[in-house]
Amino acid sequence: MTSSASSRRNGARRGPYKPGQIRDRNFQLIIDAAEYEFARHGYHGTSTQKIADRAGIAKANIHYYFNSKSNLYLEVLDNIISLWNDFLDDVSVEDDPAEVLDKFVRRKVALSFSHPQASRVFAVEIIQGAPHIKEYIRTRMRKWVTEKAGVLRQWSAEGRMADIDPVHLIFLIWSSTQHYADFETQVLTILNRKDFDANTQRQVADFLSATILRACGLSTPAPLSPRTS
Amino acid sequence: MTSSASSRRNGARRGPYKPGQIRDRNFQLIIDAAEYEFARHGYHGTSTQKIADRAGIAKANIHYYFNSKSNLYLEVLDNIISLWNDFLDDVSVEDDPAEVLDKFVRRKVALSFSHPQASRVFAVEIIQGAPHIKEYIRTRMRKWVTEKAGVLRQWSAEGRMADIDPVHLIFLIWSSTQHYADFETQVLTILNRKDFDANTQRQVADFLSATILRACGLSTPAPLSPRTS
DNA sequence: GTCTATAATCAGATAGAC
DNA sequence: GTCTATCTGATTATAGAC
């Protein structure tokens, strides 16, 4: 990954312009517009003209800021990956399995509803063979899974949850939660709804948390602290 | 959907040429090549030249057979949908919940491993808003879900399985099974494997069947007849 | 830093010889 | 029925004025 975008991702629209603020604002406008277009039309289906139109910026500026369409796409992916990366970082075998899994599922569901476009760009990238992020998957993502799987495995060994393959359990959680972002059109059409209202979002979170916990031989934890949906 | 492809989908490569055989063979060669390319690069990322190269056929012939790239894509989607359509057609409340769900999950998993490209073309189509198959989802697919959900709901009402939202259960089964086709690259990379061997395929089927049945408060059915993987 | 005009490339589609 | 050559339009990228 190219990275280095994060340092430029702040300060937009705050008071009178300081040096770099226009740049920061346009940078973010382009990234957001690009994410929208890439999610909806894929990499090749998206023209830089469309991105420029959506961002309200002249097309030439996109090349001025990012040099190439390919580079812009990499920045978008980089943006998305940083969203994905702060899950369960601090989990340990001392924690309560039900609480951890409940929190994991609910945070994943929340992310699906708050950043569906990001999820879709990522999904299409992987479906098409992950040409740009294979290295990321092979290293960081794989390490993350291996670590969490270790904790889950130990919980199973100690009889604190069902004896269930931890890696495939993680796949199950990923797939079932992301489904509501990636397949939004299908889900909404079948539910005969126009969008995911707050009620439906809670229903999905409750359903997936309860179902997955039951599959792990656990029961839903009592909500000690009020939940941040 | 346009349809009418099915009638032309036979007779390839059998003995001396009869009228229409060359046509049938080329037709199928193009469809297969197109499915591969569309799955890998998306609609806009695929050029008719690439499809022609893979099919070993001159580019102009693709237009001769299908008139347009868009038409060819519709035929590919049509092909895929007919694969998806014969699931649980004959299920009724008299059946055994565990047996039905076990069979459903296993057939879905088998399809993910046997036709991953088809699954991916379908997935990208939906992720990008299902522009070509929204009608199909709104009518046939929705009807299918409503019918099966009714049966599941009754099973729950009769206490023959856990009280679980049937529609979201279907989404869970779809998402978790298709994950192995659509996100194949990610799954294989994390498992550190080159492909899905027979062992892994059986492991996935066993895992998903057992996990989903447990989530439904059911136990794995005894295998009465040998399974067709 | 921004925009207009344009160059260079490539894709889908078609005409017409075989 | 098949293939080569070509047309037409769209897209990325850049040059250069402001």
Side-chain angles (χ1 to χ4, degrees):
Chain A
M1 295 305 315
T2 39
S3 192
S4 86
S6 15
S7 55
R8 278 170 256 145
R9 222 174 287 137
N10 52 8
R13 264 183 252 253
R14 240 183 295 159
Y17 292 159
K18 296 190 197 103
Q21 272 202 339
I22 294 180
R23 183 181 186 84
D24 283 354
R25 196 187 60 117
N26 285 345
F27 198 92
Q28 195 58 42
L29 280 176
I30 296 171
I31 288 271
D32 290 347
E35 186 182 282
Y36 181 93
E37 293 293 332
F38 284 140
R40 202 136 199 100
H41 307 290
Y43 179 78
H44 286 98
T46 300
S47 67
T48 51
Q49 183 63 62
K50 282 272 185 62
I51 295 173
D53 292 349
R54 175 164 298 273
I57 277 175
K59 185 180 65 143
N61 287 17
I62 290 183
H63 289 90
Y64 171 72
Y65 280 109
F66 293 93
N67 291 320
S68 71
K69 177 183 172 183
S70 159
N71 235 340
L72 170 55
Y73 178 68
L74 285 175
E75 287 287 353
V76 169
L77 278 182
D78 200 44
N79 247 353
I80 292 169
I81 284 175
S82 65
L83 262 181
W84 258 239
N85 261 345
D86 59 339
F87 270 90
L88 302 186
D89 275 345
D90 51 348
V91 76
S92 82
V93 281
E94 278 79 44
D95 294 323
D96 178 57
E99 262 178 46
V100 170
L101 286 173
D102 175 70
K103 188 180 161 201
F104 180 31
V105 170
R106 284 178 190 279
R107 282 203 53 203
K108 256 287 183 186
V109 170
L111 205 57
S112 274
F113 287 126
S114 65
H115 294 76
Q117 276 147 21
S119 184
R120 290 195 276 263
V121 173
F122 193 80
V124 172
E125 166 70 15
I126 292 178
I127 288 175
Q128 298 183 354
H132 303 91
I133 59 171
K134 210 160 203 166
E135 260 318 280
Y136 161 73
I137 297 174
R138 207 180 55 76
T139 53
R140 287 208 290 166
M141 196 181 226
R142 186 154 184 272
K143 182 158 168 279
W144 186 93
V145 171
T146 308
E147 285 172 8
K148 307 321 164 204
V151 175
L152 290 166
R153 210 180 314 260
Q154 191 150 352
W155 283 339
S156 292
E158 293 173 1
R160 296 167 66 194
M161 62 177 277
D163 189 17
I164 192 172
D165 185 300
V167 175
H168 289 287
L169 175 61
I170 290 172
F171 292 154
L172 175 67
I173 294 173
W174 280 350
S175 59
S176 59
T177 53
Q178 287 167 199
H179 189 72
Y180 291 88
D182 301 341
F183 285 62
E184 181 185 278
T185 303
Q186 176 176 293
V187 170
L188 286 176
T189 305
I190 285 174
L191 293 178
N192 201 22
R193 280 165 201 279
K194 227 189 102 255
D195 49 34
F196 289 121
D197 56 31
N199 248 348
T200 311
Q201 294 187 24
R202 198 172 340 103
Q203 195 190 343
V204 169
D206 290 345
F207 168 84
L208 283 177
S209 169
T211 303
I212 286 164
L213 286 184
R214 194 169 330 123
C216 295
L218 299 165
S219 54
T220 309
L224 294 176
S225 56
R227 242 163 229 134
T228 58
S229 93
Chain B
M1 298 304 314
T2 39
S3 190
S4 84
S6 14
S7 53
R8 278 172 258 145
R9 223 173 286 137
N10 51 6
R13 262 184 255 250
R14 243 183 291 159
Y17 292 160
K18 297 192 198 103
Q21 272 202 342
I22 294 180
R23 186 182 183 83
D24 284 354
R25 197 186 60 117
N26 284 346
F27 197 93
Q28 195 58 43
L29 280 175
I30 296 171
I31 288 271
D32 290 346
E35 186 183 283
Y36 182 94
E37 292 294 331
F38 284 140
R40 202 136 200 102
H41 308 290
Y43 180 77
H44 287 98
T46 299
S47 66
T48 50
Q49 184 61 64
K50 282 273 184 63
I51 296 173
D53 291 350
R54 175 165 297 276
I57 276 175
K59 185 177 67 145
N61 287 15
I62 289 183
H63 290 88
Y64 171 72
Y65 280 110
F66 293 93
N67 291 320
S68 71
K69 177 183 173 183
S70 159
N71 236 337
L72 169 56
Y73 178 67
L74 285 175
E75 287 285 354
V76 169
L77 279 181
D78 199 47
N79 247 353
I80 292 168
I81 284 175
S82 64
L83 261 181
W84 258 239
N85 261 345
D86 60 338
F87 269 90
L88 302 186
D89 275 345
D90 52 348
V91 76
S92 83
V93 281
E94 278 78 44
D95 293 322
D96 179 59
E99 262 178 46
V100 170
L101 286 172
D102 175 70
K103 189 180 160 199
F104 180 32
V105 170
R106 285 179 191 276
R107 282 202 54 200
K108 257 289 188 188
V109 170
L111 206 56
S112 273
F113 287 125
S114 65
H115 294 76
Q117 276 147 20
S119 184
R120 290 195 276 263
V121 173
F122 193 80
V124 172
E125 166 70 16
I126 292 178
I127 289 174
Q128 298 184 355
H132 303 91
I133 58 172
K134 211 160 202 166
E135 261 316 281
Y136 162 73
I137 296 174
R138 207 180 55 75
T139 54
R140 288 208 288 166
M141 197 182 224
R142 187 154 184 273
K143 184 159 168 274
W144 186 94
V145 171
T146 308
E147 285 173 6
K148 308 318 165 205
V151 175
L152 290 166
R153 211 179 313 259
Q154 192 151 351
W155 283 338
S156 292
E158 293 173 1
R160 296 167 65 193
M161 60 178 277
D163 190 18
I164 191 171
D165 185 302
V167 175
H168 289 287
L169 175 61
I170 290 172
F171 293 155
L172 174 66
I173 294 173
W174 280 350
S175 60
S176 59
T177 53
Q178 286 166 198
H179 190 70
Y180 291 88
D182 301 342
F183 285 62
E184 180 186 278
T185 303
Q186 177 176 294
V187 170
L188 285 176
T189 305
I190 286 174
L191 293 179
N192 200 23
R193 280 166 201 277
K194 228 188 101 254
D195 49 33
F196 289 122
D197 56 30
N199 247 350
T200 312
Q201 294 188 24
R202 196 170 342 104
Q203 195 190 343
V204 169
D206 289 345
F207 169 84
L208 283 177
S209 169
T211 305
I212 286 165
L213 287 183
R214 193 173 325 124
C216 295
L218 299 165
S219 53
T220 308
L224 294 177
S225 55
R227 243 164 229 132
T228 59
S229 92

